[in-house]
Amino acid sequence: MSGRKNLSAGMIFAACFLGLMTTLGGSAVFVFLKKHLVAEMSSQIVICADVPAVKSFRESYPFDDVAVNDILETPPVPKIPDPFSAYLEIINAVKYSIDGYSASRNPLLKYFYCITCSLDGKIGNNIIGNGSSMIVRLPNGYLTYTFSDDYSSDSWETVREWHTWLEKRNIRLFQLLPATKMDDSITVFPVADTPLSSGYSRRMAQYMAFLAENHIPCLDAKDVLLAADSNFYSWFYRTDHHWNVFAGRLIAETVARKLNDEFQITADADAVKEKMFTSVRYPSVFQGSMAIKANAFPEDFDVLYPQKESRFHIRIPSKGIDRVGGFSDTLIAQPYLKSSHTYCCFLYGDQPLIQIENQNCSNGTRVLVLKHSQADVLCPYLACTVQFLDIIDPRHFDGSIKTFIEQTVPAVVLLCI
């Protein structure tokens, strides 16, 4: 009798699973047909170009003849024969399309996650599968990724070599250490059957010792944030791994003060004091990188706008943007505030190269930020403190960063990676 019950339960589970997968697949087909066969208004964000977009930076910022072996430099890619290149493009496009319609662009995806999250809640499971970097639901309702220790001695040696290379050109290197909810010196991870990655604070302590040994100045964002508010999580989005705008402004002010006090590089820290901004809240518009898989509700999203008149000239070659205007018209991409990519409102998200001139500032200081997405919320406010701010995301910039530096000659390179 017990065997029959188990068999029946298994058949019911198999039938339910097959039904759910059929529904999800049918929804993917429906969305595909609707997009490609039915005339409809596009829901994609349209950013009007001012000038022709730049597809590659290799010609403007070429590599020299020395072999490139650098985490911050993107080596030239060998040219692939055209027929094979075209074949790869088709394969990648098909893969992207299948992934999109079956996942991110599938309207039923969030309801499927709702089912799994409800089951997790009933059994008390706060660990959400997410490939190699699992998502953890903390007791305070915040979500965080787990730490994956992919440390390589080559990456640290690269930082040392960059410091030496910049020092010869009288350019300072300044390491900004981003704060994160993965920090196990603050976040207490729940006990789980599945081992959670840990060791972030240990690895960070080792890296800071390495920086001190090589006389590379650094700023630990965690210390800055905790000094201002001991509630560490107040500086983050609940469903995302990035800092919020209040943290971005505070770190920008702190960086500007350190440039003045420790490097004798002029930066107007007073321009980004808290009282200089008005906070505008956009209710329930933001779903962070972990929201869908954790079935979390949208959260409020804040942007700080300067109270005084501002004027910036911004160039984003990859998007064909070359315009002059106030802070809200140049450094905040308004269309993204009404989209599912809300965080990209800060300087249009991760772009290969962004160049900003603060036309209300005449201190002559040029800063280069080498960053990942964590610094997107920092840079609009740092741009208020100096006359020139260049921003490069090494993951997308295919030219030589060293050639760019030799052409622009910044006073300091801020490393936020």
Side-chain angles (χ1 to χ4, degrees):
M1 182 66 70
S2 176
R4 289 182 178 178
K5 286 184 177 180
N6 290 337
L7 179 61
S8 298
M11 292 178 66
I12 292 173
F13 174 81
C16 291
F17 180 80
L18 183 61
L20 289 172
M21 292 300 99
T22 302
T23 302
L24 187 65
S27 175
V29 172
F30 173 78
V31 173
F32 174 84
L33 294 175
K34 182 181 178 184
K35 180 173 181 62
H36 293 280
L37 299 182
V38 180
E40 62 174 348
M41 294 294 291
S42 173
S43 61
Q44 293 184 345
I45 298 172
V46 177
I47 304 296
C48 296
D50 306 307
V51 295
V54 174
K55 294 183 178 180
S56 175
F57 296 89
R58 290 178 188 164
E59 185 175 339
S60 298
Y61 309 106
F63 291 89
D64 57 26
D65 294 332
V66 179
V68 178
N69 182 20
D70 195 325
I71 60 167
L72 299 180
E73 295 272 60
T74 306
V77 179
K79 186 176 179 62
I80 301 175
D82 289 341
F84 187 59
S85 178
Y87 168 77
L88 288 179
E89 287 183 7
I90 293 173
I91 294 299
N92 289 331
V94 171
K95 179 180 180 299
Y96 173 80
S97 182
I98 293 174
D99 289 345
Y101 290 117
S102 61
S104 60
R105 283 177 280 177
N106 194 303
L108 298 183
L109 183 68
K110 62 181 180 181
Y111 301 108
F112 275 70
Y113 280 125
C114 180
I115 295 173
T116 59
C117 286
S118 297
L119 293 174
D120 282 338
K122 288 182 179 180
I123 64 176
N125 181 28
N126 291 308
I127 311 302
I128 303 165
N130 186 51
S132 61
S133 181
M134 292 176 289
I135 298 172
V136 181
R137 185 184 290 105
L138 301 175
N140 60 6
Y142 279 71
L143 303 171
T144 181
Y145 293 119
T146 55
F147 174 61
S148 178
D149 192 350
D150 55 356
Y151 156 75
S152 166
S153 58
D154 291 341
S155 64
W156 289 16
E157 185 58 34
T158 294
V159 175
R160 192 202 324 259
E161 291 172 358
W162 266 77
H163 179 239
T164 301
W165 187 86
L166 291 169
E167 207 170 34
K168 292 178 179 178
R169 290 156 178 80
N170 198 30
I171 299 173
R172 304 298 300 273
L173 177 64
F174 182 18
Q175 170 76 69
L176 173 60
L177 302 173
T180 172
K181 288 182 285 184
M182 294 187 297
D183 191 336
D184 55 347
S185 70
I186 296 178
T187 296
V188 178
F189 290 95
V191 177
D193 294 333
T194 304
L196 299 179
S197 301
S198 60
Y200 178 88
S201 58
R202 173 181 54 83
R203 179 62 69 202
M204 185 59 69
Q206 292 173 345
Y207 183 57
M208 293 180 71
F210 164 82
L211 294 174
E213 178 185 344
N214 290 278
H215 308 289
I216 302 172
C218 74
L219 172 66
D220 190 349
K222 178 180 70 173
D223 293 341
V224 177
L225 300 178
L226 286 174
D229 187 343
S230 59
N231 179 12
F232 185 65
Y233 301 98
S234 69
W235 300 108
F236 293 88
Y237 300 109
R238 183 170 49 85
T239 63
D240 198 79
H241 59 290
H242 295 108
W243 303 329
N244 60 32
V245 72
F246 305 105
R249 184 214 61 80
L250 177 60
I251 298 300
E253 180 184 354
T254 307
V255 167
R257 295 200 185 284
K258 287 188 76 71
L259 292 181
N260 277 304
D261 299 341
E262 297 186 18
F263 295 165
Q264 287 73 55
I265 296 173
T266 305
D268 187 3
D270 291 341
V272 284
K273 282 186 174 179
E274 185 177 6
K275 66 180 181 180
M276 305 299 290
F277 294 88
T278 298
S279 177
V280 176
R281 174 158 294 177
Y282 301 86
S284 303
V285 299
F286 181 59
Q287 283 196 311
S289 58
M290 296 170 270
I292 292 181
K293 287 194 174 182
N295 189 36
F297 291 107
E299 56 186 305
D300 296 344
F301 189 85
D302 298 277
V303 177
L304 296 173
Y305 294 98
Q307 295 181 7
K308 291 187 176 181
E309 182 179 352
S310 57
R311 186 175 176 85
F312 295 91
H313 179 194
I314 184 171
R315 293 180 62 252
I316 308 180
S318 59
K319 297 189 77 69
I321 291 176
D322 188 340
R323 62 189 61 161
V324 176
F327 183 93
S328 62
D329 301 320
T330 55
L331 308 192
I332 303 298
Q334 298 294 328
Y336 287 103
L337 291 170
K338 299 178 181 179
S339 78
S340 58
H341 304 285
T342 319
Y343 185 74
C344 292
C345 77
F346 299 115
L347 294 176
Y348 299 83
D350 295 330
Q351 302 299 325
L353 172 65
I354 302 172
Q355 294 187 280
I356 303 169
E357 179 187 359
N358 182 353
Q359 296 189 340
N360 283 357
C361 178
S362 57
N363 57 26
T365 299
R366 181 181 291 273
V367 173
L368 169 62
V369 178
L370 301 180
K371 62 88 184 174
H372 287 178
S373 61
Q374 188 86 340
D376 289 354
V377 69
L378 159 74
C379 290
Y381 302 97
L382 187 61
C384 297
T385 70
V386 296
Q387 188 171 355
F388 303 100
L389 182 69
D390 300 320
I391 306 161
I392 288 179
D393 190 325
R395 299 170 299 178
H396 307 294
F397 186 79
D398 66 350
S400 168
I401 299 174
K402 290 180 177 178
T403 301
F404 179 89
I405 290 173
E406 289 176 330
Q407 291 185 15
T408 56
V409 194
V412 63
V413 174
L414 179 64
L415 188 62
C416 189
I417 297 176

